[in-house]
Amino acid sequence: MSTSNKIINKPATDPLDRLIFEEGLRIKTLWFDQDLDLIIVLLNNKKIIQRPISDFARLKNASIEQLANYESDGIGIHWPDMDEDLSLRGFLKYELAHFAEKAA
């Protein structure tokens, strides 16, 4: 019996995974406005996603310095000071879930 150690990459079946892993959608940069309770996410396709900071328990009481101290690979965001991780996929899912509200 022969077994192969080759890894076969299958096309993504989920549309969000397809956007991220096959089409290369990435987070370009983040901005924070505590007065407006906003995380502003700029994507590499020139689109912007907004999300309330207060949606995230570990981020809502953070200082602006703590918020600004993040690491990102374009797909995920990590705040080492607060041990918080967010993902591009999560931001996109939120946008899709709230699309009807924004259109009204």
Side-chain angles (χ1 to χ4, degrees), residues 3-86:
T3 59
S4 174
N5 291 331
K6 287 186 179 181
I7 296 173
I8 299 171
N9 289 327
K10 296 180 182 178
T13 56
D14 181 273
L16 295 180
D17 287 342
R18 195 171 309 128
L19 278 172
I20 296 167
F21 297 110
E22 294 177 11
E23 297 180 25
L25 185 64
R26 296 290 183 270
I27 295 169
K28 186 169 172 66
T29 194
L30 301 174
W31 290 282
F32 307 93
D33 190 310
Q34 289 180 306
D35 294 335
L36 298 176
D37 187 29
L38 283 178
I39 298 174
I40 302 164
V41 182
L42 176 64
L43 304 176
N44 64 349
N45 66 356
K46 301 179 185 176
K47 303 294 183 197
I48 293 174
I49 297 174
Q50 300 178 102
R51 185 88 190 258
I53 297 170
S54 59
D55 281 357
F56 308 101
R58 292 183 178 158
L59 299 182
K60 71 179 178 181
N61 295 318
S63 69
I64 196 67
E65 291 81 15
Q66 289 174 310
L67 290 173
N69 183 30
Y70 67 88
E71 302 162 355
S72 177
D73 61 3
I75 296 173
I77 309 157
H78 175 68
W79 284 267
D81 296 342
M82 296 167 282
D83 194 29
E84 178 70 295
D85 296 287
L86 301 179

Side-chain angles (χ1 to χ4, degrees), residues 48-52 91 94-104:
I48 293 174
I49 297 174
Q50 300 178 102
R51 185 88 190 258
F91 280 109
Y94 177 86
E95 280 295 297
L96 288 173
H98 293 86
F99 181 75
E101 294 173 13
K102 292 180 180 183

